[in-house]
Amino acid sequence: MKTNTLSWAVLAPNIGAELGLSGKVSMELSGSYKPWTVLDKSNIRLWLVQPEVRYWLCKTFEGHFFGIHMHGAQYYARTGGKIYDGYLAGGGVTYGHAWILSPRWNLEAVIGVGYARLWYKKRPDLPCAKCSVDKTRNYFGPTKISLSVSYLF
């Protein structure tokens, strides 16, 4: 079990679970949920799911690894007088390192880059359903960053 401390810093509670499939391969499933508004003028609400398969260079849960991840999310963002209400899906590659803190605790840093396809409705920050416009966007760049604390069972 693990949690990404960087997500908690932006008030998005999250949890993840990782299972060793062999001596060098593991599979992780993590999710994040941010249902509340923090600021009146600008806010983001979302849920996100991110599965990943990892190949460890030493052995599972220890040292360097490379991974392939996917992501899917639903979001609502209100910023700059506009509202963006939509979904995203995509995937990418990751690199990370896990440090053993004790027999039961690990610290893990991960960075990932990849692709996301976004489709959403964009409208002015007004109560006007007819004002919305359907939009899409392709994104290439950072898709995952985490500094996680893990408890090993």
Side-chain angles (χ1 to χ4, degrees):
M1 298 299 292
K2 61 178 65 178
T3 189
N4 180 356
T5 59
L6 300 178
S7 287
W8 284 97
V10 294
L11 304 176
N14 65 89
I15 192 162
E18 188 170 1
L19 177 65
L21 302 178
S22 72
K24 290 194 173 212
V25 178
S26 66
M27 187 168 78
E28 178 192 64
L29 179 62
S30 61
S32 184
Y33 182 56
K34 185 177 181 239
W36 48 74
T37 299
V38 178
L39 302 172
D40 290 337
K41 299 269 183 192
S42 179
N43 71 69
I44 297 175
R45 292 181 292 194
L46 64 87
W47 63 262
L48 167 76
V49 175
Q50 224 170 20
E52 180 177 1
V53 174
R54 295 175 170 180
Y55 178 79
W56 296 80
L57 299 181
C58 184
K59 64 180 192 174
T60 51
F61 312 116
E62 198 175 300
H64 301 276
F65 64 86
F66 293 95
I68 298 172
H69 68 273
M70 297 185 308
H71 42 258
Q74 181 178 9
Y75 60 91
Y76 172 92
R78 191 171 110 204
T79 182
K82 302 264 190 284
I83 293 176
Y84 304 86
D85 190 6
Y87 302 88
L88 71 83
V93 294
T94 55
Y95 165 75
H97 191 276
W99 294 271
I100 298 170
L101 301 177
S102 75
R104 292 279 179 213
W105 292 96
N106 272 12
L107 180 65
E108 178 183 282
V110 180
I111 185 79
V113 295
Y115 166 79
R117 172 76 170 177
L118 293 86
W119 57 100
Y120 56 95
K121 292 189 179 297
K122 178 182 172 184
R123 65 180 172 90
D125 192 2
L126 301 168
C128 173
K130 293 181 181 181
C131 299
S132 71
V133 177
D134 289 336
K135 297 269 201 174
T136 60
R137 181 175 176 218
N138 294 310
Y139 167 81
F140 293 93
T143 52
K144 185 171 187 172
I145 185 167
S146 70
L147 183 60
S148 297
V149 176
S150 303
Y151 180 80
L152 305 171
F153 289 95

